[in-house]
């Protein structure tokens, strides 16, 4: 009998979601598998809200998710297993393709007997394992596009560096990244002066000294800071602990503003600090069209999901992107090898970040060079002359 597979997207949107849906749907059609859209993530499955993808007009190169999204924690839903199993049976679904970040994918741990292919997507790039010498899940979908955007956003050729230079500014740029600094780290390809990430609590005094020294020399400083960055005592620089989402994550309230304000007050004694600005591109990192690496990877994962589910996968598997001699290839990773999503949550460690210089390491640049291009050297014009004198 023809297999029926449901596909859903959960969590924050990223640019290549429609490309996975499109690819799975068409590969399914070619191989006799019916792919049914579930509207609104896990909530849509609880509500049995489906759509016939064959009747929908959508484009794989447009960002966001045509299926919409939700952030549902099945751990907090009464009789979640029973209700999901009933929905699957009522909808005659043999399995699921679940595209989500850490939270959406963690729901699979409540449904260990449901055939599922789990595809990680998040601009935070924090789902995967970084083993010494190898990245299990080289990147999460959406990260390549966002990495390219943030690097370009701060760069000289396409971004903020020209304004920072022209107006002799110190610009504090906010990056997404609740717990992990991967997106901020990727800005290294656009050459900001300093990067601050959640994994390494901020030595504020040392940063201020370095900012003053750099500004005196170059008259333009760009600092990239992750939304989840912390002071040295471990407190978030900016988060409302009383305003939490469904998974208990606090809402962040503008780290760049807070840091710029404090810096402004502290550098004033040394020079005219009116030009200390905060910039927050916010959802721009997540929106818009996927770049070619995201598009190709999404297409590859969509096809591979159909292959796995039609070949009789009977439990949840992560479908990851691994490095191959030519580009990247899909690889499956059994969920049963992990106790919970914590085992698949990855952070930036000392191999990728230098907390003394507030910079990405050579190893990070090496890693990033497979994902995005270098956006050029920021030293030019008058500042170069100053340095040479
Ligand atoms: O998890 C991805 C992410 O983009 C985080 O970096 C960010 O904090 C969060 O989603 C914000 O999403 P929303 O405002 O849509 O809840």
């Amino acid at each position: 009998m023809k297999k029926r597979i449901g596909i859903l997207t959960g969590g924050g949107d990223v640019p290549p979601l429609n490309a996975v849906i499109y690819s799975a749907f068409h590969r399914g059609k070619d191989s006799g598998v019916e792919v049914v859209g579930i509207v609104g993530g896990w909530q849509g499955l609880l509500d049995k809200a489906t759509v016939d993808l064959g009747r929908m007009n959508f484009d794989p190169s447009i960002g966001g998710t045509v299926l919409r999204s939700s952030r549902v924690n099945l751990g907090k839903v009464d009789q979640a297993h029973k209700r999901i199993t009933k929905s699957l049976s009522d909808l005659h679904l043999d399995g699921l393709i679940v595209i989500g970040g850490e939270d959406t994918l963690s729901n699979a741990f409540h449904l260990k007997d449901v055939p599922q292919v789990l595809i990680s997507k998040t601009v935070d790039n924090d789902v995967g394992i970084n083993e010494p010498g190898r990245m299990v899940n080289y990147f999460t979908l959406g990260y390549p596009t966002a990495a390219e955007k943030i690097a370009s956003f701060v760069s000289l050729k396409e971004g903020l560096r020209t304004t920072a230079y022209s107006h002799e500014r110190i610009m504090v740029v906010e990056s997404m990244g609740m717990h992990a600094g991967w997106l901020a780290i990727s800005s290294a390809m656009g050459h900001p002066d300093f990067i601050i990430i959640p994994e390494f609590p901020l030595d504020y005094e040392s940063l201020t000294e370095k900012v003053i020294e750099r500004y005196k020399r170059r008259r333009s400083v760009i600092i990239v800071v992750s939304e989840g960055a912390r002071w040295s005592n471990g407190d978030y620089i900016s988060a409302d602990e009383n305003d939490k989402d469904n998974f208990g994550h606090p809402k962040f309230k503008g780290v760049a503003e807070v840091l710029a304000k404090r810096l402004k007050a502290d550098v004033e004694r040394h020079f005219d600090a009116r030009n200390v600005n905060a910039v927050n591109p916010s959802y721009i990192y997540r929106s818009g069209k996927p770049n070619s690496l995201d598009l190709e990877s999404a297409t590859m994962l969509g096809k591979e999901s159909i292959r796995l589910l039609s070949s009789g996968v009977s439990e949840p598997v992560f479908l990851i992107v691994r490095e191959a001699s030519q580009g990247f290839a899909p690889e499956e990773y059994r969920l049963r090898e992990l106790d919970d999503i914590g085992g698949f949550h990855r952070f930036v460690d000392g191999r990728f970040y230098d907390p003394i210089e507030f910079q990405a390491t050579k190893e990070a640049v090496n890693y990033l060079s497979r994902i995005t291009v270098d956006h050029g050297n920021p030293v030019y014009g008058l500042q170069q002359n100053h340095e040479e004198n």
Side-chain angles (χ1 to χ4, degrees), residues 191-207:
H191 302 274
D193 296 277
F194 305 109
I195 299 172
I196 300 158
I197 62 172
E199 292 89 336
F200 290 79
L202 173 62
D203 179 345
Y204 176 76
E205 278 68 36
S206 162
L207 175 75

Side-chain angles (χ1 to χ4, degrees), residues 185 188-189 352 360-370 374:
I185 286 286
M189 300 303 259
F352 301 96
T361 59
K362 279 205 179 101
E363 188 157 344
V365 172
N366 213 8
Y367 163 69
L368 289 165
S369 63
R370 298 219 53 189
D374 190 303

Side-chain angles (χ1 to χ4, degrees), residues 138-153:
Y138 199 83
F139 57 81
T140 56
L141 286 182
Y143 181 63
T145 307
E148 192 181 309
K149 278 191 185 178
I150 194 168
S152 148
F153 190 77

Side-chain angles (χ1 to χ4, degrees), residues 125-195:
N125 197 36
D126 58 355
V127 185
I129 294 173
N130 48 354
E131 286 174 351
R134 144 181 139 101
M135 282 282 197
V136 178
N137 204 12
Y138 199 83
F139 57 81
T140 56
L141 286 182
Y143 181 63
T145 307
E148 192 181 309
K149 278 191 185 178
I150 194 168
S152 148
F153 190 77
V154 297
S155 73
L156 174 70
K157 286 191 191 153
E158 301 115 3
L160 282 178
R161 180 64 74 173
T162 50
T163 296
Y165 172 86
S166 308
H167 297 273
E168 302 193 350
R169 282 192 178 155
I170 296 174
M171 301 186 101
V172 185
V173 179
E174 185 155 332
S175 162
M176 278 192 161
M178 288 196 224
H179 317 291
W182 294 104
L183 186 59
I185 286 286
S186 63
S187 71
M189 300 303 259
H191 302 274
D193 296 277
F194 305 109
I195 299 172

